[in-house]
Amino acid sequence: MNIIQAIIFGAVQGVTEFLPISSTAHLILLPWFMGWPDPGLSFDVALHLGTLVALLIYFRADWIALIAAALQLVRGRTSDANARMALFIVVATIPGALAGVLFENTVETALRAPRIIALMMAALALVLVVAELNGRRLKTLNQISWRDAMTVGLAQALALVPGVSRSGATITAGLFTGMKRETSARFSFYVEEPIIAEAIPKKLFDILRIGLTLDQMRLFVAGIVSAGVGGYLSIAFLLR
């Protein structure tokens, strides 16, 4: 892999992580389609660091308010809207975390064939069209219920399958529960962050333990920065 390819991989990760089109699928299909070397799962996970930073920066005010509300929860104060949202995020994160622990290795090795990925991408696209046509689009963030949060969380667990977009699955589930488009997208991004954040530290530790050459380090940094910039622009575009 050269520096240009690393930047392109990062840009693809950044753009596709938040649009409902599966970043994992595109990172698998891109080298297959272009005839490039597969950069490997470690590089893919490192790129998620860029999109994680993009999420943190774009929603920085929201995260500060949610963290403050979570501290209030510890003190037993549950009436605040942000405290309720913090609980919803925790609830919606549980199914995806459990699915990752139980099935990630099996799914990653058994379902990475390009034809399976293409089929899953097309199937989710059709479901998203149905959700768009039939969703009532009434609920704001303050009107989300426990049932809505759990529905989005269960949908996020499906994103373990390559070709099933995490944001696509969660946004679709949000639309089916009656959320407005922006509400569904924003809540989708909220529940994605803990899952992304959980996956990164272990893999980065493994990378550092093995060690990187200076040239490899440059490729990783270029890809991460590219993913961060692409991710930030992708979030801004989708919410607008």
Side-chain angles (χ1 to χ4, degrees), residues 22-100:
S22 181
S23 62
T24 300
H26 282 78
L27 290 177
I28 294 172
L29 293 176
L30 178 61
W32 173 79
F33 184 76
M34 297 294 291
W36 294 350
D38 188 333
L41 189 58
S42 294
F43 185 73
D44 290 1
V45 173
L47 295 183
H48 281 77
L49 179 60
T51 47
L52 176 64
V53 171
L55 267 178
L56 288 170
I57 293 175
Y58 193 92
F59 294 111
R60 57 192 179 278
D62 300 53
W63 293 122
I64 291 171
L66 288 168
I67 291 170
L71 294 176
Q72 294 298 321
L73 278 176
V74 175
R75 299 174 184 173
R77 302 174 186 175
T78 60
S79 58
D80 183 71
N82 284 325
R84 194 162 170 263
M85 180 56 62
L87 282 174
F88 286 162
I89 293 171
V90 171
V91 167
T93 300
I94 292 172
L98 287 175

